[in-house]
């Protein structure tokens, strides 16, 4: 904003203070010229009004005093910031009645000398506006350059947030999608305790409400505003500011710059992750086709982690359901509407999304995984909802661990599985041995399959589990 005192200095000698001197701190929104008795209908407020005083011409005594008082009061009520009287055309000097009215109403009064045109005052004002705009533009460009440089850093998100916080003079937090770590910055140090967690919850609520939703929330430390960060194709997260209300023009430019940089970086990360998944899918495809040597060579060229010597292979047929869950570890290949997952054999079983259905096998040498891929895919297609079936192929099936799990279960599963295997899957015979109905046996076996994640009718599974059971001594109990 341009102050009245600054305009007087810039417009010398075309604008002279008359009352009061020195001038009070008054901010101007413009310069307007009018001889109307009520010019306020054409004003927004905050203007310096220039007039030659025709409203008071031809009046004397009380009439002039009343006219001056009414005129000045209308200007004050309309938000006029100051009055400038042009001398010469209407009045050779400032009328006492006008001076008294301005003093009474507290309206600053100035004069424009006879030889000075009103245009000179207007030009001085707009020159100050131009200079201020250039200064603001220079500062804005400097801040945008700082934001752009921050985006080039390796750890870009915290740097962008830090620069935006400095520019806006308030705390800023970036709440990205997914499980990525939020970034925050504040001019006076760290955010208040618990604020970041509250912002994350609010961003999740807005995200679930509708795409692109914004919101203001009342916090213990004040009001915050949340804005979605989007590159047009997908929402990358939310930017939170430690204040509410509209941003100024320059602040909006900075906010949009930061938002665009964050969205572009998120889009780049998504593209890089997609490219990485496609490349890893190529490695999985080579392994499943029996070209493990080519897969190892390609992994080396890609600078990926070395492929394992032994691995599991899993097939998950429900792609739409899996799209809402984090991608499994290992090499992932989508083929023929199903997901193939190759994982290093670091434990007794692969780590797969909870509740998904499918089948898995291994551990096996990487060079032999192609031998069981088709069979696992066939079994996965018929797997019951929420069940992962273990296909009995591998180096060392964890049969002893299965026995431990059965023993720990309170539902008589151990003795039921023992009888079921001893009678080669015959429900009636197993029920007679246990003294229960065949449907009870059927129900318990289904429980055991779900608990162990294996198919008890698979010969390899049944054989190794039977040997492990024979190595344990337990007296079957009847209900």
């Amino acid at each position: 904003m341009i102050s009245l005192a600054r305009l007087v200095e810039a417009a010398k000698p075309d604008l002279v203070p008359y009352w009061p001197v020195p001038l009070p701190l008054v901010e101007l929104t413009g310069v307007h010229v009018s001889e109307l008795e009520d010019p306020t209908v054409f004003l927004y407020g905050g203007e310096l009004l220039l007039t030659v005083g025709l409203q008071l011409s031809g009046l004397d005594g009380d009439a002039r005093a009343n006219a001056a008082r009414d005129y000045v009061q209308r200007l004050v009520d309309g938000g006029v910031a100051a009055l400038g009287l042009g001398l010469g055309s209407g009045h050779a000097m400032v009328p006492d009645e006008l001076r008294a009215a301005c003093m009474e109403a507290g309206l600053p009064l100035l004069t424009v000398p006879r030889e000075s045109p009103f245009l000179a005052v207007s030009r001085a004002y707009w020159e100050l506006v131009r200079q201020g705009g250039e200064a603001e533009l220079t500062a804005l460009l400097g801040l945008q350059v700082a934001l752009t440089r921050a985006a080039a850093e390796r750890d870009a998100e915290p740097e962008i947030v830090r620069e935006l916080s400095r520019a806006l003079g308030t705390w800023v937090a970036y709440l990205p999608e997914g499980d990525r770590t939020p970034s925050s910055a504040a001019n006076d140090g760290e955010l208040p305790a618990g604020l970041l967690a509250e912002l994350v919850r609010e961003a999740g609520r807005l995200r679930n409400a509708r795409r692109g939703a914004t919101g203001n929330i009342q916090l213990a430390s004040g009001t915050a505003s949340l804005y979605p960060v989007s590159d047009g194709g997908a929402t990358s997260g939310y930017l939170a500011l430690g204040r509410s209300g509209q941003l100024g023009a320059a602040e909006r430019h900075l906010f949009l710059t930061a938002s665009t940089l964050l969205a572009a970086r998120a889009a780049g990360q998504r593209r890089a992750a997609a490219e990485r998944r496609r490349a890893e899918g190529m490695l999985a495809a080579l392994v499943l086709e029996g070209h493990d040597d080519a897969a190892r060579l390609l992994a080396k060229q890609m600078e990926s982690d070395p492929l394992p010597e032994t691995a599991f292979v899993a097939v998950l047929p429900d792609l739409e359901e899996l799209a809402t869950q984090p991608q499994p570890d290992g090499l992932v290949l989508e083929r023929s509407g199903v997901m193939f997952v190759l994982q290093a054999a670091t434990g007794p079983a692969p780590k797969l999304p909870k509740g998904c259905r499918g089948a898995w096998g291994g551990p096996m040498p990487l060079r032999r995984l192609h031998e069981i891929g088709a069979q696992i895919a066939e079994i996965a297609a018929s797997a019951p909802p929420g069940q992962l079936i273990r296909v009995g192929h591998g180096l060392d099936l964890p049969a002893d661990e299965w026995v431990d799990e059965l023993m720990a279960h309170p539902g008589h599963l151990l003795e039921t599985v023992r009888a079921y295997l001893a009678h080669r899957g015959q429900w009636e015979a197993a029920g007679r041995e246990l003294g229960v109905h065949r449907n009870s046996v059927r129900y318990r076996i289904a429980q055991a399959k779900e608990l162990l994640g294996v198919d008890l009718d698979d010969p390899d599974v049944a054989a190794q589990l039977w040997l492990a059971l024979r190595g344990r001594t337990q007296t079957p109990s009847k209900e």
Side-chain angles (χ1 to χ4, degrees), residues 123-212:
R123 282 178 173 173
Y125 175 81
W126 289 112
E127 176 61 20
L128 291 176
V129 171
R130 184 190 65 80
Q131 293 174 4
E134 289 180 352
E136 184 179 43
L137 179 60
T138 300
L140 177 61
L141 289 175
L143 292 170
Q144 286 181 324
V145 168
L147 286 171
T148 305
R149 287 177 177 169
E153 297 292 333
R154 180 181 296 273
D155 200 16
E157 285 87 351
E159 291 297 323
I160 293 173
V161 167
R162 191 173 296 113
E163 291 296 337
L164 186 60
S165 175
R166 290 172 184 166
L168 298 183
T170 185
W171 62 257
V172 176
Y174 175 49
L175 316 167
E177 292 281 349
D179 56 357
R180 293 164 54 204
T181 304
S183 304
S184 62
N187 289 340
D188 54 354
E190 298 295 329
L191 269 65
L195 173 59
L196 198 57
E198 187 175 0
L199 292 172
V200 170
R201 288 194 298 271
E202 184 65 17
R205 185 188 68 79
L206 291 174
R207 189 178 299 115
N208 293 332
R210 67 183 187 276
R211 180 181 174 185

Side-chain angles (χ1 to χ4, degrees), residues 1-8 11 14-19 23 26-34 39 43-51 71 75 78-86 107-112 118 120-126 128:
M1 296 288 286
I2 297 170
S3 69
L4 181 58
R6 187 179 174 198
L7 177 59
V8 168
D14 300 313
L15 188 61
V16 180
Y18 187 79
W19 177 90
L23 291 169
V26 176
E27 300 290 338
L28 300 178
T29 60
V31 175
H32 186 74
V33 179
S34 178
L43 302 177
Y44 289 104
E47 295 90 349
L48 166 65
L49 180 66
L50 301 179
T51 180
Y71 175 69
L75 299 185
V80 171
L83 178 64
L85 180 65
L107 181 67
L109 180 61
L110 304 95
T111 61
V112 178
F118 286 171
V121 179
S122 295
R123 282 178 173 173
Y125 175 81
W126 289 112
L128 291 176

Side-chain angles (χ1 to χ4, degrees), residues 211-281:
R211 180 181 174 185
T214 62
N216 293 326
I217 56 174
Q218 191 64 39
L219 309 170
S221 57
T223 304
S225 299
L226 278 79
Y227 301 88
V229 176
S230 174
D231 59 1
T235 299
S236 306
Y238 277 85
L239 260 180
L241 308 180
R243 70 187 198 195
S244 61
Q246 290 188 343
L247 299 174
E251 292 176 326
R252 284 198 301 273
H253 282 295
L254 292 172
F255 177 83
L256 289 174
T257 298
S259 179
T260 300
L261 291 171
L262 289 169
R265 183 169 178 83
Q269 291 172 335
R270 287 196 300 271
R271 288 192 296 269
E275 289 296 330
R276 192 74 180 177
R277 286 194 296 270
R278 280 193 287 271
E280 291 177 347

Side-chain angles (χ1 to χ4, degrees), residues 146-477:
L147 286 171
T148 305
R149 287 177 177 169
E153 297 292 333
R154 180 181 296 273
D155 200 16
E157 285 87 351
E159 291 297 323
I160 293 173
V161 167
R162 191 173 296 113
E163 291 296 337
L164 186 60
S165 175
R166 290 172 184 166
L168 298 183
T170 185
W171 62 257
V172 176
Y174 175 49
L175 316 167
E177 292 281 349
D179 56 357
R180 293 164 54 204
T181 304
S183 304
S184 62
N187 289 340
D188 54 354
E190 298 295 329
L191 269 65
L195 173 59
L196 198 57
E198 187 175 0
L199 292 172
V200 170
R201 288 194 298 271
E202 184 65 17
R205 185 188 68 79
L206 291 174
R207 189 178 299 115
N208 293 332
R210 67 183 187 276
R211 180 181 174 185
T214 62
N216 293 326
I217 56 174
Q218 191 64 39
L219 309 170
S221 57
T223 304
S225 299
L226 278 79
Y227 301 88
V229 176
S230 174
D231 59 1
T235 299
S236 306
Y238 277 85
L239 260 180
L241 308 180
R243 70 187 198 195
S244 61
Q246 290 188 343
L247 299 174
E251 292 176 326
R252 284 198 301 273
H253 282 295
L254 292 172
F255 177 83
L256 289 174
T257 298
S259 179
T260 300
L261 291 171
L262 289 169
R265 183 169 178 83
Q269 291 172 335
R270 287 196 300 271
R271 288 192 296 269
E275 289 296 330
R276 192 74 180 177
R277 286 194 296 270
R278 280 193 287 271
E280 291 177 347
M282 293 173 58
L283 298 178
L286 287 171
V287 171
L288 292 173
E289 293 295 332
H291 307 299
D292 61 293
D293 289 340
R296 293 185 187 280
L297 179 61
L298 180 58
K300 185 176 181 180
Q301 294 295 319
M302 291 169 48
E303 298 183 355
S304 296
D305 294 334
L307 299 185
E309 292 299 326
T310 59
F312 298 106
V313 58
V315 181
L316 311 176
D318 300 325
L319 283 183
E320 290 187 5
E321 182 178 331
L322 292 168
T324 62
Q325 301 192 44
Q327 183 161 303
D329 295 334
L331 304 181
V332 177
L333 169 66
E334 294 183 9
R335 173 192 284 177
S336 302
V338 300
M339 178 182 290
F340 290 80
V341 182
L342 275 61
Q343 282 187 10
T346 58
K351 298 177 181 179
L352 300 172
K354 292 183 178 180
C356 66
R357 74 181 187 97
W360 61 277
M364 291 187 70
L366 198 69
R367 66 179 184 276
R368 293 185 53 199
L369 285 184
H370 69 281
E371 299 175 5
I372 61 173
Q375 181 185 4
I376 293 174
E378 182 178 352
I379 295 175
S382 58
Q387 185 171 339
L388 286 168
I389 298 175
R390 169 70 184 269
V391 178
H393 293 272
L395 299 176
D396 296 303
L397 295 178
D400 288 329
E401 296 178 15
W402 295 342
V403 173
D404 292 336
E405 291 187 58
L406 293 171
M407 291 181 66
H409 196 277
H412 304 285
L413 294 190
L414 183 68
E415 57 266 34
T416 302
V417 170
R418 187 196 302 272
Y420 180 76
L421 296 178
H423 293 283
R424 299 182 182 181
Q426 299 297 315
W427 309 107
E428 293 281 359
R432 283 195 299 270
E433 178 181 330
L434 297 170
V436 299
H437 194 273
R438 65 176 183 273
N439 288 342
S440 296
V441 177
R442 190 188 305 271
Y443 174 72
R444 293 180 188 177
I445 294 302
Q447 280 188 304
K449 288 181 178 181
E450 183 175 357
L451 175 67
L452 303 180
V454 296
D455 182 6
L456 297 181
D457 295 320
D458 184 291
D460 291 334
V461 173
Q464 295 205 32
L465 181 55
W466 174 250
L467 292 175
L469 285 169
R470 290 187 63 185
R472 306 288 183 101
T473 58
Q474 179 172 333
T475 304
S477 61

